[in-house]
């Protein structure tokens, strides 16, 4: 894994992603994109879904992309990526390209992944394209003005799950997208957060070395969408991990491993209190919502721990075989 | 014109198209099954399985993904073809527009079929018309031979530097896709030489530097970019004419944008797309035998609409019956509207006839009736040929 200095140097020499885009201050997306591109050795092609990343980085006639890049629509990043990868296979096969392998990396928001893009993603995973699919998950349709998505957490206030005299924020749980992806039997899937960039970088390296599809679900902070201060972005992502709201783990050939175990579980309130989308959860009237959220987190964490424990032997055997 | 060695086989339109694809050897073919297109991809899949072409075949999970993968593959630098029909094309349409806008030269074989609902698997042109304004070029074949020839021609048209657009090659569902007839195939090498290497500016792979495709355009630039698309579609007419001439020179088969049949001294004529041309030619022959001055115009090139060529083809025609196999509920149907605009100011009287929706047969008797109606004053704003109730004495 490259250290921060090496990453910065790489970025300077051959930037995959330039500044000068119009993503908000404190947006969680740029550090994810930089870490992902910086952790993939060799040439790469990026494929984007419609969303904040695409809109804010490619306003004609400018582009923030230093690597070949393509965007076609909102719901089809995985299909487009599959097509690009198929062309690569065809062209390589008849010697039309250089010998250096090219990595294909798709970036899509949670809307473009959990919801409208789920079918295309499922198809691409099942077909087994060699590509890395990165969901930058800011937990709502941000580009169109903070509407709820399948990734929006229970009780969150969005413009389409508003808090009102009756409304109490989103009334449904978020999907477990990573588990949906794992059910496709792909060789590598992981959850990551920009706060733990070394963990993310290592996962990207692993994904890049994987012969087949890999999937990274990366939590991305969003100051306007979540209602937090731009300066709190990294801190907030860290709190998400340490409250067990967003555990960091990877799934190799179907085997689970927790990649970062917080020393202490931080109280959920630390996560909620920094974000206006949860501001209606303060006080007695909303205690039941907080209890339900906490239950969801605890269930998720204990299930993850069980899986991690059950698969520990498998990982040990893998490492021994590798050593 | 040179006569070239060809091998004739009895093939359906779908099989002939698959043979053209095999000979073109596209790099990537993403596909999804739908009647009546399915025999194209089944036949082609067999060719791939037998090692007859080294195409990467992607069995995607929907037509939306087929077209999405096609755009990705084409802009990555690989020659790309796909095939669809009806609901599949409807599902694709979002991406067909984008393919045109991003100037991805994908060839799309279409087995033209009715749109739901009610669901119906039979032939008409509603699906093609749904993509009419996408910027994708549209060709319509009259029979299996033309489906083959136009498919061979399509990559050159799509990839021409002045064009760089998707091309839809339509063949009527069942009437052409499933009808077997002798088809003269070119030799594999001839097709290979004719289509040549695939080359596009700034491919994602093997390009000279990183390029961004599919960027975000604001009101200060979108209009100009779309205007470039309009210019490219318009330029395609001339490119088509040149390619048709080259095809004739090389292979002895001439497929002009408009097939003018017995138009010399014609006073009344029909204008059609696709397989109706065959039936119409029989009817024209019969009526000519009876001394009637009638003729037929069949468009092979529908987008861009060959406006000047249509005007030139009219000769002394005073009444033109335009046969649409699609409707535009609440307005005149698409081919009629196009022809009407193209011929405005010529003094020619145009009449609108709608036929064959959802696979209803167009009989020779019905076409004779249309041509005889053309000799009299118009009976209706739009005539629905073969519709029960309106047209009980027309066979159906
Ligand atoms: C087919 C289609 N439906 C809807 C839209 C409108 N739209 C564009 S971006 C977007 C939301 C994107 O959300 P997400 O994928 O989470 O990315 P983010 O904006 O949060 O970066 C929506 C609804 C569209 N472009 N295409
Ligand atoms: S709205 Fe949110 S996701 Fe979009 S650019 Fe701003 S911070 Fe980033
Ligand atoms: Mg989002």
């Amino acid at each position: 894994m490259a250290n921060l200095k090496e990453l910065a140097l790489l970025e300077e020499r051959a930037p995959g992603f330039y500044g000068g885009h119009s993503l908000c201050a404190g947006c969680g997306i740029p550090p994810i994109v930089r870490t992902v591109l910086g952790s993939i050795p060799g040439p790469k092609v990026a494929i984007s879904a419609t969303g904040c990343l695409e809109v804010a980085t490619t306003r004609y006639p400018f582009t923030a992309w230093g690597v070949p890049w393509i965007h076609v629509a909102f719901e089809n990043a995985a299909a487009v990526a599959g097509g690009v990868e198929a062309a690569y296979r065809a062209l390589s096969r008849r010697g039309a390209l250089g010998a250096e392998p090219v990595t294909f990396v798709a970036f899509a928001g949670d809307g473009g992944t959990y919801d409208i893009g789920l079918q295309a993603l499922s198809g691409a995973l099942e077909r087994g394209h060699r590509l890395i699919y990165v969901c930058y998950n800011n937990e709502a349709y941000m580009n169109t003005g903070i509407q709820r998505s399948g990734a929006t957490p229970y009780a969150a206030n969005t413009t389409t799950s508003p808090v009102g005299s009756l409304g109490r924020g989103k009334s449904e749980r978020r999907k477990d997208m990573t588990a949906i992806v794992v059910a496709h039997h792909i060789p590598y899937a992981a959850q990551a957060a920009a706060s733990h960039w070394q963990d993310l970088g290592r996962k990207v390296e692993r994904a890049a070395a994987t012969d087949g599809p890999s999937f990274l679900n990366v939590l991305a902070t969003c100051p306007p969408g979540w209602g937090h201060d731009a300066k709190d972005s990294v801190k907030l992502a860290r709190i998400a991990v340490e409250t067990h709201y967003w555990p960091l783990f990877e799934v190799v050939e179907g085997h689970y491993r927790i990649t970062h175990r917080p020393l202490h579980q931080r109280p959920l309130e630390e996560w909620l209190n920094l974000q206006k989308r949860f501001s209606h959860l303060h006080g007695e009237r909303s205690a039941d919502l907080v209890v339900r959220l906490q239950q969801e987190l605890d269930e998720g964490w204990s299930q993850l721990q069980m899986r991690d424990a059950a698969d520990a032997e498998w990982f040990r055997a893998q490492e021994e075989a590798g050593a | 014109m040179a006569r070239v060695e060809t091998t004739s086989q009895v093939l359906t339109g779908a099989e002939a198209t698959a043979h053209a694809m095999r000979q073109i050897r596209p790099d990537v073919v993403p596909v999804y099954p739908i009647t009546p297109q399915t025999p194209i991809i089944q036949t082609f899949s067999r060719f791939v399985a037998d090692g007859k072409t080294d195409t990467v075949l992607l069995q995607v999970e929907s037509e939306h993904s087929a077209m999405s993968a096609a755009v990705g593959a084409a802009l990555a630098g690989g020659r790309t073809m796909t095939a669809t029909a009806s609901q599949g094309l409807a599902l694709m349409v979002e991406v067909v527009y984008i393919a045109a806008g991003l100037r991805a030269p994908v060839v799309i074989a279409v087995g033209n079929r009715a749109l739901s609902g009610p669901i119906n698997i039979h032939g008409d042109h509603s699906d093609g018309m749904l993509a009419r304004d996408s910027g994708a070029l549209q060709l319509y074949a009259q029979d299996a031979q033309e489906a083959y020839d136009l498919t061979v021609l399509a990559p050159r048209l799509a990839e021409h530097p002045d064009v760089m657009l998707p091309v839809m090659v339509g063949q009527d569902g069942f009437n052409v896709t499933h009808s077997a007839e002798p088809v003269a195939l070119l030799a594999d090498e001839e097709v290979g030489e004719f289509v040549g290497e695939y080359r596009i500016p700034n491919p994602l792979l093997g390009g000279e530097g990183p390029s961004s495709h599919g960027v975000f355009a604001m009101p200060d630039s979108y209009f100009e970019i779309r205007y470039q698309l309009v210019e490219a579609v318009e330029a395609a007419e001339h490119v088509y004419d040149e390619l048709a001439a080259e095809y004739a020179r090389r292979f002895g088969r001439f497929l002009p944008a408009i097939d003018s049949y017995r138009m010399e001294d014609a006073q009344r004529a029909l204008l059609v797309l696709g397989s109706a041309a065959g039936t119409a030619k029989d009817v024209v022959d019969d009526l000519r035998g009876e001394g009637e001055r009638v003729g037929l115009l069949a468009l092979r090139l529908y987008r861009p609409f060959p406006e000047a060529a249509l005007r030139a083809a009219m000769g002394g025609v005073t009444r033109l019956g335009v046969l649409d196999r699609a409707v535009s509920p609440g307005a005149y149907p698409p081919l009629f509207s196009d022809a009407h605009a193209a011929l405005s100011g010529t003094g020619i009287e145009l009449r609108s006839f709608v036929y064959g929706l959802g696979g209803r047969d167009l009989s020779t008797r019905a076409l004779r009736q249309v041509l005889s109606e053309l000799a009299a004053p118009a009976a209706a704003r739009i005539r629905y040929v073969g519709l029960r109730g309106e047209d009980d004495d027309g066979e159906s």
Side-chain angles (χ1 to χ4, degrees):
Chain A
M1 168 78 221
N3 64 31
L4 200 52
K5 244 192 206 149
E6 286 164 354
L7 263 185
L9 209 72
L10 187 79
E11 273 291 315
E12 227 171 83
R13 259 187 281 123
F17 188 73
Y18 292 88
H21 51 68
S22 55
L23 292 156
C24 306
C27 176
I29 300 172
I32 295 172
V33 175
R34 284 215 181 79
T35 307
V36 169
L37 294 180
S39 306
I40 298 170
K44 48 216 142 239
V45 175
I47 299 94
S48 285
T50 310
C52 276
L53 174 62
E54 165 265 330
V55 167
T57 58
T58 64
R59 177 172 170 168
Y60 183 82
F62 304 104
T63 181
W65 296 84
V67 295
W69 178 89
I70 181 172
H71 155 256
V72 177
F74 183 21
E75 66 276 46
N76 63 358
V80 175
V84 175
E85 189 266 347
Y88 173 72
R89 265 187 283 151
L91 297 181
S92 304
R93 205 147 79 177
R94 57 178 171 83
L97 298 172
E100 203 177 1
V102 180
T103 304
F104 302 95
V105 54
F107 292 99
D110 48 291
T113 303
Y114 282 59
D115 296 340
I116 200 165
L118 181 58
Q119 175 183 317
L121 174 60
S122 175
L125 297 179
E126 187 257 344
R127 289 192 301 276
H129 296 280
R130 183 167 184 154
L131 55 87
I132 307 174
Y133 187 101
V134 179
C135 173
Y136 65 89
N137 181 0
N138 51 28
E139 304 192 313
Y141 303 155
M142 295 310 180
N143 189 239
T144 39
I146 323 169
Q147 295 86 25
R148 55 89 82 192
S149 79
T152 304
Y154 179 65
N157 188 1
T158 72
T159 58
T160 50
S161 61
V163 173
S165 56
L166 296 175
R168 306 176 84 198
K170 190 184 165 192
S171 48
E172 303 83 16
R173 262 180 89 154
R174 54 187 168 151
K175 294 183 196 177
D176 189 348
M177 186 65 210
T178 310
I180 292 171
V181 165
V182 168
H184 287 74
H185 311 295
I186 62 166
Y188 190 73
Q191 267 188 205
S195 50
H196 296 69
W197 63 268
Q198 277 187 306
D199 176 82
L200 170 60
R202 208 185 47 73
K203 286 170 177 167
V204 174
E205 282 175 1
R206 181 134 203 181
T210 297
D211 188 12
S214 48
F215 174 84
L216 300 172
N217 196 348
V218 191
L219 189 71
T221 52
C222 172
W226 294 5
H228 67 83
D229 285 345
K231 68 168 171 40
D232 286 338
S233 265
V234 177
K235 176 173 158 190
L236 200 53
R238 180 168 298 283
I239 291 173
V241 172
E242 296 182 349
T243 51
H244 299 167
Y245 176 84
W246 192 256
L248 303 183
F249 62 94
E250 62 188 359
V251 189
V252 183
E253 312 282 358
H255 301 277
Y256 282 73
R257 169 157 73 182
I258 296 171
T259 57
H260 175 78
R261 237 175 249 280
L263 277 181
H264 307 286
Q265 182 181 4
R266 293 167 86 144
L268 181 58
E269 284 66 30
E270 288 190 38
W271 166 245
L272 301 177
N273 290 348
L274 283 173
Q275 305 175 61
K276 290 206 183 70
R277 62 175 171 159
F278 296 122
S279 60
H280 58 294
L281 298 186
H282 304 312
E284 277 308 300
R285 268 189 53 231
S286 306
D288 59 319
L289 302 184
V290 179
V291 167
R292 196 176 141 179
L293 262 175
Q294 183 70 59
Q295 254 169 11
E296 186 192 312
L297 265 50
D298 293 344
E299 271 170 31
W301 181 251
S302 74
Q303 194 180 45
L304 189 60
Q305 278 192 306
M306 269 157 50
R307 286 177 166 156
D308 174 277
D311 287 331
E313 189 50 46
W314 185 87
F315 279 100
R316 253 197 308 281
Q318 287 291 108
E319 267 149 35
E320 267 165 33
Chain B
M1 281 186 228
R3 256 277 154 220
V4 170
E5 274 306 301
T6 52
T7 54
S8 216
Q9 299 182 31
V10 176
L11 298 170
T12 63
E15 289 165 345
T17 302
H19 273 285
M21 292 169 70
R22 168 183 65 73
Q23 296 178 313
I24 291 164
R25 303 172 80 95
D27 292 301
V28 180
V29 171
V31 285
Y32 194 81
I34 183 166
T35 306
Q37 168 280 122
T38 312
I40 299 177
I41 65 161
Q42 284 174 327
T43 310
F44 187 71
S45 297
R46 198 157 6 91
F47 291 146
V48 174
D50 290 342
K52 301 261 169 64
T53 167
D54 49 7
T55 301
V56 174
L57 193 61
L58 289 183
Q59 306 289 355
V60 291
E61 83 300 330
S62 74
E63 289 87 349
H64 195 281
S65 284
M67 198 57 206
S68 303
V71 173
L75 295 179
R79 181 173 277 140
T80 306
M81 302 178 80
T82 184
T84 193
S86 183
Q87 303 313 113
L89 183 58
L91 193 55
M92 265 187 191
V93 149
E94 182 197 25
V95 192
V96 175
Y97 271 73
I98 300 171
L102 302 196
R103 310 297 291 277
V106 177
V107 174
I108 310 167
V110 181
N112 290 104
R113 163 182 153 182
L115 291 175
S116 300
I119 191 165
N120 172 298
I121 61 165
H122 295 279
D124 76 29
H125 297 152
S126 308
D127 51 2
M129 295 305 151
L130 183 63
R132 186 188 59 171
D133 300 333
S134 62
L137 310 183
Q138 293 200 16
L139 305 176
Y140 284 83
Q142 297 176 16
D143 52 31
Q145 181 69 58
E146 283 197 13
Y148 171 79
D149 289 322
L150 293 176
T151 306
V152 171
L153 192 139
R156 286 280 300 279
L157 178 60
E159 298 160 21
H160 190 283
D162 296 343
V163 178
M164 295 293 299
L165 288 169
V167 173
M168 295 163 54
V169 183
Q171 51 182 300
D172 288 356
F174 294 98
N175 301 79
V176 179
T177 55
H178 287 62
S179 301
E181 54 170 294
V183 176
L185 301 183
L186 301 173
D188 293 358
E189 313 79 64
E190 285 171 333
V191 174
E193 272 169 37
F194 178 77
V195 297
E197 278 280 305
Y198 181 79
R199 245 187 274 284
I200 59 161
N202 306 311
L204 292 167
L205 297 168
E208 275 166 23
S211 50
S212 293
H213 296 258
V215 301
F216 170 67
M218 292 284 283
D220 63 351
S221 58
Y222 179 88
F223 202 168
E224 282 70 26
I225 296 170
R226 291 307 279 188
Y227 183 69
Q228 289 180 348
L229 172 62
V230 171
E231 287 184 312
V233 175
E234 288 183 353
E237 183 178 349
H238 179 61
V239 174
Y240 179 87
D241 291 343
E242 284 189 343
L243 285 170
E246 182 186 332
Y247 200 85
R249 252 191 337 270
R250 286 171 88 144
F251 309 126
R253 290 202 289 267
F254 184 43
L255 301 166
I258 303 180
D259 182 8
S260 293
Y261 189 74
R262 307 196 73 168
M263 286 296 287
E264 68 284 354
D265 79 5
Q267 293 171 326
R268 282 168 289 143
L270 300 176
L271 178 66
V272 302
L273 288 180
S275 66
T279 320
K281 283 176 186 174
D282 291 344
V283 172
V284 166
D285 285 345
D286 289 351
L287 290 173
R288 282 275 179 179
E290 294 162 24
E292 301 215 30
R293 288 160 66 182
V294 295
L296 167 75
L297 296 167
L299 299 188
R300 295 194 181 92
L301 181 66
Y302 177 59
R303 277 295 178 275
F305 193 78
E307 203 175 296
L310 182 66
R311 267 201 301 274
M314 295 309 295
V317 166
T318 54
R319 281 189 186 155
L320 181 69
V322 183
L323 280 114
D324 269 278
R325 208 175 180 185
V327 287
S328 174
Y332 281 103
L335 182 59
F336 178 87
S337 301
D338 291 326
H340 193 265
L343 299 175
S344 74
T346 59
I348 298 166
E349 189 190 337
L350 275 73
R351 303 262 185 86
S352 176
F353 298 86
V354 169
Y355 74 99
L357 295 193
R360 181 148 308 174
D361 267 346
L362 179 66
S363 64
T364 52
R365 201 171 112 203
L367 276 178
R368 277 183 83 101
Q369 169 77 18
V370 166
L371 276 163
S372 79
E373 281 176 34
L374 275 184
R381 197 175 129 264
I382 301 173
R383 268 268 288 120
Y384 293 88
V385 178
L387 178 72
R388 264 198 306 282
E390 164 151 344
D391 198 17
D392 285 334
D393 49 12
E395 265 174 47
S396 65

